[in-house]
Amino acid sequence: MVSNQSAFRPPLVPTWQRWLIYSPLARIVIFAAVAFAVGYAVHGALSSLGWLGNAVTPMQRALDILSIELSSSVIGYLVLVYGVERRSPRELSLRALPTYGLAWFFGGFLLFSTVVGVLWLCGSYHVLGVNAHVDWLPEVLVAGVSAGIGEEIITRGVLFRLIEEGLGTWWALAISAVFFGGAHIFNPGATLWSSAAIAIEAGILLALVFHVTRTLWACIGLHAAWNISQGTIYGIPVSGGDVKGWLQSTRTGPDWLSGGIFGAEASVVALAVCTSVSLVLLVIAIRRKSIVRPFWSRRVSAAYGAIPTS
């Protein structure tokens, strides 16, 4: 079992500091403020250099997005962990990258390949040809590296982890999943159904991956591989974004099966496949007794001498 190495225990300080600096909500606000300030500064610097705008190449645009999103999320997280929580960010330890990161990257590829395989068996996914000269690197940098690292730090490293610390695992799963799904509501072709599907199939799945492994590299690997497989390999829109993949493909059939213009993430096939994996992870968490109770339940349990964490 992987211990909860990212757990934070506030120091003995006055009550006002515990609420305004060290409480889960305060730390979420601190991270958001730092991330916004850094992202704004980097965006301004790139703009002053003339590196932003419609005239830039796809590769330049990808590097711009990568610079803004990674600098804001990574620096914001390091300030939160080192400056406020006063601990080492073990959930981002590079030692876990070649193990958890690569293993879950491969798992993400298999997961989305399973979705495509089922769509093909159902007569929905069709390969039209191969685009051997596709410019795949910009999409890998944006949808794979940038989204994988940036979104996982924000949603799992900050939101899920801190809400779980205060309100417990169940509330953390629900709130972080709704946030993750809602964050995709303004994507091209998005609907309430597509956002709900992403909240369930990805929001809950990735949160449970973090809960079980306690390393962000597992979430990053899975997230990056899912996006790269979806767009760069199988030629399917990534969360509504049109991409050119190695395979030239199309999907037919009703939207509930194919996912429509939003992509396969809005398909009941992706929902069923990801939910199945989530249920397995949930069983593992329950058997480990790692489900965290809300803080008020832990206080009552501690008062009666019970075990407070599961």
Side-chain angles (χ1 to χ4, degrees):
M1 174 180 176
V2 179
S3 62
N4 187 355
Q5 297 173 325
S6 59
F8 169 70
R9 293 173 177 79
L12 296 176
V13 294
T15 302
W16 69 269
Q17 289 187 22
R18 292 178 66 87
W19 283 104
L20 296 182
I21 299 177
Y22 298 110
S23 69
L25 178 59
R27 280 178 280 150
I28 291 174
V29 173
I30 291 172
F31 167 82
V34 174
F36 176 82
V38 172
Y40 185 82
V42 174
H43 183 278
L46 293 175
S47 180
S48 65
L49 293 172
W51 292 355
L52 299 177
N54 296 327
V56 300
T57 65
M59 187 62 188
Q60 181 64 61
R61 183 176 293 107
L63 291 175
D64 291 339
I65 295 173
L66 191 70
S67 299
I68 295 171
E69 292 195 3
L70 290 194
S71 61
S72 60
S73 59
V74 173
I75 293 176
Y77 197 71
L78 293 179
V79 169
L80 171 67
V81 173
Y82 281 114
V84 179
E85 298 181 350
R86 305 293 177 87
R87 64 178 181 84
S88 174
R90 296 181 180 180
E91 63 273 23
L92 276 176
S93 172
L94 293 178
R95 294 180 179 180
L97 178 56
T99 52
Y100 284 99
L102 291 180
W104 282 92
F105 184 89
F106 182 68
F109 169 73
L110 290 179
L111 190 65
F112 194 79
S113 296
T114 300
V115 173
V116 173
V118 174
L119 288 174
W120 178 76
L121 289 174
C122 293
S124 177
Y125 179 79
H126 311 276
V127 177
L128 304 179
V130 176
N131 186 2
H133 303 290
V134 65
D135 188 12
W136 54 268
L137 186 55
E139 184 63 26
V140 167
L141 291 177
V142 174
V145 178
S146 180
I149 296 177
E151 292 180 13
E152 289 313 305
I153 286 178
I154 294 170
T155 313
R156 261 58 69 173
V158 177
L159 201 61
F160 173 80
R161 179 174 65 87
L162 297 183
I163 294 176
E164 183 182 45
E165 179 185 310
L167 301 181
T169 303
W170 299 119
W171 277 106
L173 282 171
I175 294 174
S176 64
V178 169
F179 173 85
F180 193 66
H184 293 78
I185 189 63
F186 298 108
N187 288 23
T191 62
L192 288 177
W193 161 250
S194 67
S195 293
I198 286 184
I200 298 170
E201 73 194 26
I204 292 178
L205 171 61
L206 289 164
L208 284 170
V209 168
F210 179 72
H211 175 85
V212 170
T213 65
R214 306 315 296 191
T215 171
L216 284 172
W217 291 116
C219 307
I220 292 170
L222 175 58
H223 192 155
W226 174 277
N227 284 358
I228 292 171
S229 300
Q230 185 171 197
T232 308
I233 297 177
Y234 293 111
I236 297 175
V238 180
S239 301
D242 187 26
V243 297
K244 304 298 181 182
W246 179 65
L247 293 177
Q248 297 176 355
S249 67
T250 185
R251 285 161 294 112
T252 58
D255 287 353
W256 61 265
L257 176 63
S258 68
I261 61 175
F262 188 80
E265 290 170 328
S267 167
V268 294
V269 174
L271 186 65
V273 170
C274 293
T275 300
S276 299
V277 179
S278 295
L279 290 175
V280 173
L281 292 172
L282 185 58
V283 170
I284 293 174
I286 292 174
R287 288 185 175 180
R288 288 180 174 179
K289 299 182 178 180
S290 60
I291 301 297
V292 179
R293 295 179 182 177
F295 71 90
W296 59 84
S297 177
R298 298 198 296 268
R299 287 179 178 176
V300 171
S301 298
Y304 287 91
I307 299 174
T309 58
S310 61

